[in-house]
Amino acid sequence: MQKIAVIDYGMGNLRSVSKALEHVADNAEVVVSSDASVIESADRVVCPGQGAARDCMAALQQTGLAQTVLDIAGTRPFLGICMGYQVLLTHSEENGGVDCLNIVPGEVTRFAEPLFDAGSRLKVPHMGWSEVRHVRDHALWSGIEDASRFYFAHSYYCVPQDDAAVAGSCHYGHEIAVAVTAPNLFACQFHPEKSAGDGLQLLKNFTNWDGR
């Protein structure tokens, strides 16, 4: 039986993520852990996260799990969710500027305020359901129609340096990269664990993904 580790660095929505994975992964043991050796022994790893960039990076560094993520990302199927996506980039503007893990080169920047679309003012944070467009084919989109709706809750968005890394986008005032991919890595701004059937399908796809 494969093991899926959900990284516990004190900043993630751990229960909902782990329960969603347990629901879809009948071929796996799901463990929530802050122990680097447990995480490193897993077949698949999920890095969730919520809160501010400075707090998330501080928690990763203080627990030693920043190095764990650097060591394992790219070595086995890895899924970053929400802040677990943002910390993979190079730098975030949040909290006056925070250096992140630089696994996916790029910047995290705040939505403009005021933010408009077609003359209507949009709320910041971007919170609620929005359509996600498949920018490129990917195994994690299997069984999910293009422009399906996923649940978001964020004030900052990612701008990857390499457009070829972008797997999914969403229009909120302008087009934003809400999913990126690299060998053995997929990360998304939205919350699949809160996104009903399509979110569960994405998580199920992750449990079967070979990382390519």
Side-chain angles (χ1 to χ4, degrees):
M1 177 180 288
Q2 68 165 324
K3 181 165 69 176
I4 302 173
V6 179
I7 299 176
D8 178 7
Y9 59 101
M11 299 295 296
N13 191 8
L14 302 173
R15 179 173 173 80
S16 60
V17 171
S18 61
K19 290 300 179 184
L21 285 165
E22 288 173 359
H23 181 72
V24 300
D26 52 9
N27 62 336
E29 174 193 8
V30 179
V31 295
V32 177
S33 183
S34 58
D35 185 326
S37 64
V38 172
I39 296 165
E40 289 167 0
S41 71
D43 302 290
R44 302 170 189 277
V45 176
V46 179
C47 183
Q50 56 189 23
R54 178 177 293 163
D55 294 338
C56 287
M57 282 303 304
L60 282 167
Q61 290 163 347
Q62 288 164 8
T63 59
L65 292 174
Q67 188 60 51
T68 303
V69 173
L70 288 168
D71 289 343
I72 64 176
T75 68
R76 71 208 67 186
F78 181 98
L79 175 64
I81 297 174
C82 194
M83 185 55 70
Y85 165 30
Q86 293 190 9
V87 296
L88 300 179
L89 274 77
T90 307
H91 183 267
S92 174
E93 290 182 351
E94 194 171 6
N95 307 122
V98 181
D99 288 333
C100 298
L101 297 174
N102 196 30
I103 294 170
V104 178
E107 297 290 317
V108 183
T109 189
R110 184 174 173 84
F111 283 111
E113 289 198 70
L115 181 67
F116 292 94
D117 188 31
S120 297
R121 185 166 181 171
L122 301 176
K123 292 181 179 180
V124 176
H126 171 205
M127 186 170 291
W129 296 79
S130 291
E131 292 182 353
V132 172
R133 184 172 64 87
H134 301 173
V135 174
R136 56 180 290 183
D137 291 336
H138 196 280
L140 266 65
W141 297 138
S142 179
I144 301 171
E145 291 187 9
D146 190 24
S148 292
R149 294 168 69 82
F150 289 84
Y151 184 80
F152 290 82
H154 63 122
S155 299
Y156 289 76
Y157 64 95
C158 296
V159 185
Q161 190 177 97
D162 184 1
D163 289 342
V166 179
S169 69
C170 170
H171 192 88
Y172 197 74
H174 50 85
E175 207 72 11
I176 58 175
V178 297
V180 295
T181 188
N184 277 314
L185 183 146
F186 189 95
C188 54
Q189 184 65 65
F190 53 83
H191 288 271
E193 78 280 6
K194 297 181 180 180
S195 297
D198 287 321
L200 291 176
Q201 181 64 49
L202 187 143
L203 292 176
K204 184 174 181 64
N205 292 340
F206 173 70
T207 70
N208 295 312
W209 180 39
D210 64 6
R212 292 178 298 204

